[in-house]
Amino acid sequence: MNFNLTDEQQLVRETCRKFADNYLKPKAAEYDRSHEFPWEHIEKLSGMGMMGIVYPEEYNGAGMDYLSYAIIVEELSRGCASTGVIVCAHNSLCLSPINYFGNEEQKKKYLSRLTTGEWIGCFGITESNAGSDAAGTTTTAELKNGNWVLNGTKNFITNGGVASVNVITAVTEKGIGHKGLSFFIIEKGAPGFSVGKLEDKLGICASPTTELIFDNCEIPEGNLLGKKGDGFKIAMHTLDGGRVMIGAQALGIAQAAFDEAVAYSKERKQFNQSLSNFQAIQWMIADMATEIEAARLLVYQAAVLIGSGDRRKYSKQAAMAKLFASEMSHRVTHKALQIFGGYGYTKDYPMERYYRDARITEIYEGTSEIQRIVIASNVLG
Ligand code: CAA
């Protein structure tokens, strides 16, 4: 596979890198402290086409390729991991199922406004007793007098509360497991819809994570997305794409920590010499550099494959990219903080934030254990 970037992809990288350095990085610590949603960043990114990265120009999307998308998420996450995941959850988890499974009316109404950033989107499959077991959903949807009536609570929803468009799974036929799930579009403001608890988290603090509550929530019959009974497969298809971009987010966080650690190791003197003169530090840096490159190759490969057609064929590559990049990010941020010593443990430096932000990439959009299940089932058949 050829990873020589085209002129357009290089331009995308340079633009996003500058944006991350000039806008995201200087404010990331403050957003982390305040837990505020970075509206100013999202407004600017909307103007740059980053809220509709791979979607057709016909629906106001930027029509870019998936490798460009991965590069964008990597670079944004280098500056601010919260902004990185806000962009990912919106693009991968909300716009993707509407683009692939929505009808013309749904695409015109929703996709065209989501791609411009006028509306933000979120995706809900998780419930208190249906996390890794995504088919264990208990939220129900019943068709009554031409409307779907939804009841239940989704939790751990990225972009919850700020989203104008919520796409979720619900049971339309009980007792038949995943085949009884369907997918729905719920607009903010739908009667009976509210946003519940806002989670207080370890990391990615500027990215809101909330409950979505459906209490006899009524939506039009036409807000069923795809076919009745296809909800689980739509969710899995969506996550195959999303997982690659969480890999890209993990990569960006690791790269940021690595760059800071390398610079610090050259400046910081102990025993009358730079830390970088010590072999113990050199070996850490060599291992970090190698792991980052390996993760980048897996993420870029998966991005190209996922963008090239039938996602199902590439579930394994998407799972491998997320698994390796997220666990790599954990190891790299751990070592980078170690190089910073006591200073790395303080809030005077960004190292502790990278360490906290990296941790979630091993959990959301499928834990490392789920990625191993997907990989093993593809290998073993
Ligand atoms: N694409 C399309 N269809 C798929 C698929 C895929 N990638 N994977 C499986 N399917 C289909 C299968 O072919 C099968 O169809 P048939 O019944 O017609 O044969 C059906 O789905 C069921 O497949 P499995 O038997 O393999 O399903 P399972 O119940 O064993 O679950 C699983 C598999 C991999 C464990 C899955 O449940 C899973 O990925 N769980 C993790 C869920 C997850 O990632 N949650 C994260 C929440 S989202 C989030 O974090 C967002 C946020 O806002 C932060």
Side-chain angles (χ1 to χ4, degrees):
M1 198 171 274
N2 178 6
F3 290 128
N4 287 337
L5 300 186
T6 62
D7 289 349
E8 287 82 10
Q9 287 163 341
Q10 270 170 21
L11 184 65
V12 161
R13 163 135 17 241
E14 279 160 30
T15 307
C16 289
R17 189 167 285 178
K18 268 192 207 141
F19 183 81
D21 287 341
N22 296 340
Y23 291 101
L24 301 181
K25 203 172 162 197
K27 294 189 173 176
E30 188 45 42
Y31 277 113
D32 176 62
R33 256 190 300 274
S34 70
H35 293 210
E36 270 175 35
F37 188 81
W39 286 110
E40 56 175 332
H41 295 158
I42 300 307
E43 212 176 294
K44 285 199 175 77
L45 288 168
S46 299
M48 294 160 69
M50 303 301 168
M51 300 307 270
I53 302 169
V54 292
Y55 300 101
E57 289 170 16
E58 185 189 348
Y59 303 108
N60 302 327
M64 289 188 234
D65 58 88
Y66 273 76
L67 179 52
S68 297
Y69 180 14
I71 291 168
I72 289 167
V73 174
E74 176 188 349
E75 291 299 334
L76 298 182
S77 302
R78 215 172 47 79
C80 171
S82 293
T83 302
V85 76
I86 291 165
V87 169
C88 283
H90 170 88
N91 275 280
S92 295
L93 301 184
C94 182
L95 278 69
S96 169
I98 299 176
N99 183 50
Y100 279 97
F101 301 100
N103 57 37
E104 193 50 31
E105 204 180 320
Q106 291 167 336
K107 287 189 201 178
K108 276 204 178 107
K109 178 166 184 193
Y110 297 108
L111 203 54
S112 299
R113 285 169 169 154
L114 287 159
T115 48
T116 60
E118 178 189 343
W119 284 351
I120 289 174
C122 73
F123 164 92
I125 57 171
T126 305
E127 299 180 3
S128 54
N129 289 316
S132 292
D133 179 11
T137 301
T138 57
T139 295
T140 55
E142 281 179 87
L143 198 53
K144 287 184 184 163
N145 306 320
N147 280 332
W148 289 103
V149 180
L150 285 85
N151 279 292
T153 300
K154 297 286 175 185
N155 66 1
F156 295 142
I157 309 304
T158 306
N159 291 349
V162 294
S164 298
V165 179
N166 307 262
V167 293
I168 69 146
T169 51
V171 178
T172 44
E173 193 174 341
K174 288 186 186 158
I176 55 168
H178 72 83
K179 289 184 175 19
L181 295 190
S182 302
F183 219 85
F184 296 93
I185 305 175
I186 294 102
E187 286 182 38
K188 190 178 200 168
F193 170 64
S194 60
V195 176
K197 184 183 172 213
L198 172 68
E199 302 295 343
D200 189 4
K201 310 189 299 280
L202 176 72
I204 55 159
C205 296
S207 149
T209 306
T210 71
E211 288 177 329
L212 305 179
I213 301 170
F214 306 94
D215 181 9
N216 286 317
C217 167
E218 284 197 34
I219 57 166
E221 186 174 0
N223 279 24
L224 172 72
L225 183 62
K227 289 196 202 119
K228 187 169 165 240
D230 276 356
F232 185 78
K233 290 184 186 177
I234 296 175
M236 290 300 116
H237 179 276
T238 302
L239 284 167
D240 280 339
R243 286 169 181 165
V244 180
M245 299 309 155
I246 297 303
Q249 184 201 18
L251 178 60
I253 299 168
Q255 185 69 55
F258 175 76
D259 292 344
E260 300 269 355
V262 168
Y264 186 78
S265 74
K266 290 182 187 165
E267 281 162 22
R268 171 87 169 150
K269 293 213 167 21
Q270 290 291 283
F271 306 103
N272 298 320
Q273 50 186 319
S274 302
L275 289 188
S276 58
N277 283 351
F278 294 96
Q279 198 175 48
I281 303 295
Q282 290 170 1
W283 285 18
M284 278 196 224
I285 287 172
D287 287 345
M288 290 154 84
T290 306
E291 289 214 69
I292 289 172
E293 281 305 313
R296 182 167 289 116
L297 290 172
L298 276 175
V299 168
Y300 286 11
Q301 170 188 253
V304 170
L305 292 173
I306 283 285
S308 72
D310 179 5
R311 283 190 182 187
R312 189 68 212 276
K313 275 176 29 197
Y314 307 119
S315 297
K316 182 182 76 176
Q317 278 84 3
M320 284 176 166
K322 179 182 185 290
L323 173 66
F324 187 78
S326 60
E327 295 194 346
M328 171 284 294
S329 198
H330 182 159
R331 290 189 291 272
V332 164
T333 54
H334 176 97
K335 286 196 180 95
L337 195 151
Q338 194 70 16
I339 290 172
F340 266 72
Y343 293 108
Y345 201 66
T346 71
K347 300 226 175 209
D348 291 344
Y349 293 88
M351 214 38 81
E352 59 83 35
R353 190 179 76 250
Y354 299 143
Y355 183 70
R356 288 184 287 110
D357 284 349
R359 189 65 181 84
I360 189 61
T361 63
E362 295 171 280
I363 298 171
Y364 56 23
E365 297 198 31
T367 59
S368 291
E369 292 69 31
I370 289 294
Q371 308 314 321
R372 288 185 169 92
I373 288 174
V374 172
I375 296 162
S377 74
N378 274 279
V379 170
L380 297 169

